[in-house]
Amino acid sequence: MGLKDIFHLARVPSILMLGLVYVLYVLIGGVVFWKLEGDLGQKDISLLLLSKQKVLSTYTCLDQDGLEKVAQVVQDSSKAGLSLKANSTTDGFWKFTSSAVFAATVVTTIGYGNMSPSSTAGQIFCVFFALFGIPLNMVVLNRVGKYMLVMERNISNYLEGKTGRRTCTRFFVHLVSYLSGALLFLFVPMIVFQLHEGWTYSQAIYYCFITLSTIGFGDLVADNNPDQVYPEWYSVLMASWIFFGLAWLALVINHSIDMLERLNMHLKQWWGGHEQEEQSGGVGSDNPDSHVEEQEEVNRPPSKQ
């Protein structure tokens, strides 16, 4: 096999194009965030410096070392869930419900950062808990996502049999599925978080997506305000929302990946149409993309008749 055949089998042009698109996308995102947040960050720093000078001038008995100690107390209190207003915690951060939610954020790799084990035993247990919990979580979410997909396909097949229109029916079922999931896992939780956390609607919808996508910045965390009294069902509802919302968003992302793969396939056919004709004569079986598509077809869950 020559060098040309190796490059042909490896699909170097499509890989390079995909890599360039990826790098360009990340760089464009960096520029947008830089323009949107850069000036605001400088203004925040200036305001903080003015506030610092105002505090030092108002409380003349407080010097730089004292200010740093106060800041350390505030930071430690925030991490421990201590309310500086009431000088107490409601039930503590490590109550059973919050600990269960923390365990869920570990296995789902959300990792807000608002809670973390501080004891040696807790840190070692967290390592082994995540080591086995993350693969288990992926398997369970994958199975739940497949069942969601099977239900969606069964509904689509049923409606296709009634209407006889395949393309329109599948588009309608996908659209209803997306809108229903967005309503159930994004917009309804947005209202709940706005009511119980006091966030704006934009902050609430931002928190919902950051959580379900497992990005988990930790700048906004529900059930985390020591000055707020939460109902007992709040943590349970939140954990259930995280689990099923992750499965739904994973399904949406898989659909998006499928659409991008189809777009990539069409682009490759348009880019090298004559090569596709040559491959159909006998080289097509060596195409790695075809093997991937065949494997995906095999792994695709069967629809229940």
Side-chain angles (χ1 to χ4, degrees), residues 36-152:
L36 292 177
E37 301 292 334
D39 294 338
L40 184 61
Q42 292 296 328
K43 291 180 181 179
D44 290 340
I45 292 175
S46 300
L47 291 176
L48 287 174
L49 290 175
L50 290 176
S51 299
K52 174 186 174 182
Q53 295 298 328
K54 185 177 180 180
V55 168
L56 292 176
S57 61
T58 302
Y59 304 97
T60 54
C61 60
L62 188 66
D63 57 4
Q64 180 66 32
D65 293 336
L67 182 62
E68 292 178 0
K69 292 179 180 179
V70 171
Q72 186 65 44
V73 170
V74 173
Q75 183 179 356
D76 294 340
S77 300
S78 177
K79 187 173 182 179
L82 175 65
S83 172
L84 295 178
K85 294 180 180 179
N87 201 28
S88 63
T89 58
T90 53
D91 291 326
F93 260 20
W94 291 104
K95 58 183 179 179
F96 173 72
T97 52
S98 60
S99 299
V101 172
F102 169 76
T105 60
V106 170
V107 298
T108 55
T109 69
I110 296 175
Y112 291 121
N114 64 311
M115 294 175 62
S116 60
S118 56
S119 65
T120 303
Q123 292 172 350
I124 294 176
F125 173 75
C126 184
V127 171
F128 288 99
F129 180 75
L131 184 64
F132 294 99
I134 292 175
L136 176 63
N137 175 76
M138 294 178 64
V139 170
V140 173
L141 287 181
N142 184 48
R143 184 60 60 88
V144 173
K146 284 185 177 181
Y147 274 110
M148 289 182 177
L149 187 59
V150 167
M151 293 174 58
E152 185 178 317

Side-chain angles (χ1 to χ4, degrees), residues 20-280:
L20 289 175
V21 170
Y22 177 79
V23 173
L24 184 62
Y25 186 80
V26 172
L27 292 178
I28 291 175
V31 170
V32 173
F33 283 122
W34 175 38
K35 293 299 182 182
L36 292 177
E37 301 292 334
D39 294 338
L40 184 61
Q42 292 296 328
K43 291 180 181 179
D44 290 340
I45 292 175
S46 300
L47 291 176
L48 287 174
L49 290 175
L50 290 176
S51 299
K52 174 186 174 182
Q53 295 298 328
K54 185 177 180 180
V55 168
L56 292 176
S57 61
T58 302
Y59 304 97
T60 54
C61 60
L62 188 66
D63 57 4
Q64 180 66 32
D65 293 336
L67 182 62
E68 292 178 0
K69 292 179 180 179
V70 171
Q72 186 65 44
V73 170
V74 173
Q75 183 179 356
D76 294 340
S77 300
S78 177
K79 187 173 182 179
L82 175 65
S83 172
L84 295 178
K85 294 180 180 179
N87 201 28
S88 63
T89 58
T90 53
D91 291 326
F93 260 20
W94 291 104
K95 58 183 179 179
F96 173 72
T97 52
S98 60
S99 299
V101 172
F102 169 76
T105 60
V106 170
V107 298
T108 55
T109 69
I110 296 175
Y112 291 121
N114 64 311
M115 294 175 62
S116 60
S118 56
S119 65
T120 303
Q123 292 172 350
I124 294 176
F125 173 75
C126 184
V127 171
F128 288 99
F129 180 75
L131 184 64
F132 294 99
I134 292 175
L136 176 63
N137 175 76
M138 294 178 64
V139 170
V140 173
L141 287 181
N142 184 48
R143 184 60 60 88
V144 173
K146 284 185 177 181
Y147 274 110
M148 289 182 177
L149 187 59
V150 167
M151 293 174 58
E152 185 178 317
R153 286 177 177 169
N154 287 340
I155 295 174
S156 179
N157 293 334
Y158 174 78
L159 294 178
E160 285 177 20
K162 294 293 184 180
T163 61
R165 298 181 178 180
R166 180 177 180 181
T167 303
C168 295
T169 301
R170 290 196 172 186
F171 175 78
F172 175 76
V173 171
H174 284 316
L175 181 63
V176 172
S177 176
Y178 288 155
L179 294 179
S180 301
L183 178 65
L184 184 61
F185 296 112
L186 290 179
F187 292 104
V188 172
M190 174 189 70
I191 297 175
V192 173
F193 291 136
Q194 193 275 332
L195 292 175
H196 286 83
E197 301 292 342
W199 299 335
T200 63
Y201 287 110
S202 60
Q203 288 176 325
I205 194 68
Y206 161 80
Y207 167 76
C208 289
F209 182 81
I210 292 300
T211 296
L212 296 185
S213 60
T214 70
I215 297 174
F217 289 126
D219 51 346
L220 295 174
V221 181
D223 195 18
N224 187 57
N225 188 354
D227 298 320
Q228 183 76 24
V229 178
Y230 299 100
E232 291 296 330
W233 52 264
Y234 192 67
S235 297
V236 178
L237 182 65
M238 182 178 170
S240 302
W241 164 71
I242 289 176
F243 177 78
F244 290 102
L246 283 173
W248 169 76
L249 191 60
L251 184 62
V252 173
I253 292 175
N254 286 334
H255 281 178
S256 303
I257 292 175
D258 182 63
M259 288 188 292
L260 289 176
E261 290 289 348
R262 292 178 184 273
L263 178 61
N264 184 38
M265 186 187 305
H266 290 302
L267 288 176
K268 286 191 295 184
Q269 289 177 352
W270 173 78
W271 185 267
H274 64 282
E275 294 184 0
Q276 295 291 335
E277 294 178 359
E278 294 177 358
Q279 292 173 5
S280 63

